[in-house]
Amino acid sequence: MKAFSPIPKQYSKTQFQSDLFAGVTTAILLIPQAMAYAVLAGLPSYVGLYASGIPLIGYAFLGTSRALAVGPVAMDSLLTATAVGAIAASGTEEYLLISSLLAFMVGVVHVLMGVLKLGRLVSLLTPTIISAFTSAAALIIGSNQFELILGIDLPRSTDVFAIIMSVFQRISETHVPTVIIGMLSIAILLILKRKIPKFPRAFVVVLFGALAVLSLDLESKGVKIIGELPSGLPSLQMPQLDLSLIF
């Protein structure tokens, strides 16, 4: 009786090495990126890990493209923060529940569009519209990072000018160690991108940042860290949401 092998004969050692390298690289980049997207959306950082892992597993069974990136992106996080932030305060249980409801509703709309083959509507969008949208989103996302780079509390807003005014008003509260870490991280990313473009520069920044926090005890000096993340997967339960918050 011939033994069953889950790996096809045409799957070579070279292909395995390439897939292993790709998987490790993706994980190194995806973990901090997913947590950053969750923070951008006004959600706990661990939510980004759930939102990035589950779609990949589902797409492995349902998807058709080997190159498509699946999971949260900066624009989705920004739109979530804008929509849900108008209804509930960030960090509250209501904010998390409404964000989950929003994600479910968007998923239903996507399924309906797929069934009705409405993807062709995207062709009606001109490159100018898409470029303007992405450029505006980049400005809003970038301006909202002043809070993290400077180490000061700023109100989240889609008004870039309001954010800049808030920065000037509270510039005296700047936390110097946080600014140093942020500037060094940006410098390392730019230098490695220019000198060694294929090197995993994001991994270097994350690694050295974690080592700096541990060795220099930066948390005691006022540097904000993610902290301990809950282990395991969240339990499934029916959310108790007050719909009067939405309607």
Side-chain angles (χ1 to χ4, degrees), residues 87-159:
I87 301 173
S90 177
T92 62
E93 183 179 359
E94 287 78 11
Y95 191 98
L96 180 58
L97 291 175
I98 296 174
S99 299
S100 301
L101 177 60
L102 176 62
F104 176 77
M105 293 170 61
V106 171
V108 171
V109 172
H110 279 182
V111 172
L112 291 177
M113 292 184 68
V115 172
L116 299 176
K117 297 181 179 181
L118 298 179
R120 66 188 66 182
L121 294 177
V122 178
S123 62
L124 300 178
L125 298 176
T126 65
T128 304
I129 295 176
I130 297 175
S131 177
F133 177 77
T134 54
S135 299
L139 289 174
I140 295 173
I141 293 170
S143 61
N144 276 284
Q145 303 313 301
F146 284 127
E147 176 184 9
L148 303 177
I149 294 294
L150 300 178
I152 57 180
D153 293 327
L154 296 174
R156 287 188 171 271
S157 173
T158 56
D159 189 338

Side-chain angles (χ1 to χ4, degrees), residues 22-235:
V24 172
T25 303
T26 301
I28 290 172
L29 296 175
L30 185 62
I31 292 174
Q33 179 179 270
M35 292 192 293
Y37 286 155
V39 173
L40 180 62
L43 297 167
S45 55
Y46 61 85
V47 174
L49 299 178
Y50 301 145
S52 62
I54 296 176
L56 291 175
I57 297 174
Y59 194 80
F61 293 97
L62 304 175
T64 57
S65 173
R66 300 175 59 186
L68 181 64
V70 181
V73 295
M75 289 188 186
D76 291 345
S77 300
L78 176 63
L79 292 173
T80 299
T82 303
V84 183
I87 301 173
S90 177
T92 62
E93 183 179 359
E94 287 78 11
Y95 191 98
L96 180 58
L97 291 175
I98 296 174
S99 299
S100 301
L101 177 60
L102 176 62
F104 176 77
M105 293 170 61
V106 171
V108 171
V109 172
H110 279 182
V111 172
L112 291 177
M113 292 184 68
V115 172
L116 299 176
K117 297 181 179 181
L118 298 179
R120 66 188 66 182
L121 294 177
V122 178
S123 62
L124 300 178
L125 298 176
T126 65
T128 304
I129 295 176
I130 297 175
S131 177
F133 177 77
T134 54
S135 299
L139 289 174
I140 295 173
I141 293 170
S143 61
N144 276 284
Q145 303 313 301
F146 284 127
E147 176 184 9
L148 303 177
I149 294 294
L150 300 178
I152 57 180
D153 293 327
L154 296 174
R156 287 188 171 271
S157 173
T158 56
D159 189 338
V160 176
F161 297 103
I163 296 175
I164 295 176
M165 289 298 298
S166 298
V167 170
F168 281 112
Q169 292 172 357
R170 308 188 64 175
I171 195 67
S172 59
E173 303 175 18
T174 298
H175 190 252
V176 177
T178 301
V179 174
I180 294 175
I181 294 174
M183 293 298 101
L184 286 176
S185 300
I186 294 174
I188 293 173
L189 289 173
L190 294 177
I191 292 173
L192 290 180
K193 182 179 181 179
R194 179 179 294 272
K195 300 295 184 181
I196 318 176
K198 294 185 178 181
F199 196 77
R201 49 192 178 274
F203 172 68
V204 174
V205 171
V206 172
L207 177 62
F208 279 98
L211 292 176
V213 170
L214 289 174
S215 59
L216 302 177
D217 193 18
L218 295 179
E219 184 180 6
S220 64
K221 296 178 175 61
V223 176
K224 295 181 180 180
I225 64 174
I226 295 297
E228 184 177 355
L229 299 177
S231 59
L233 296 175
S235 58

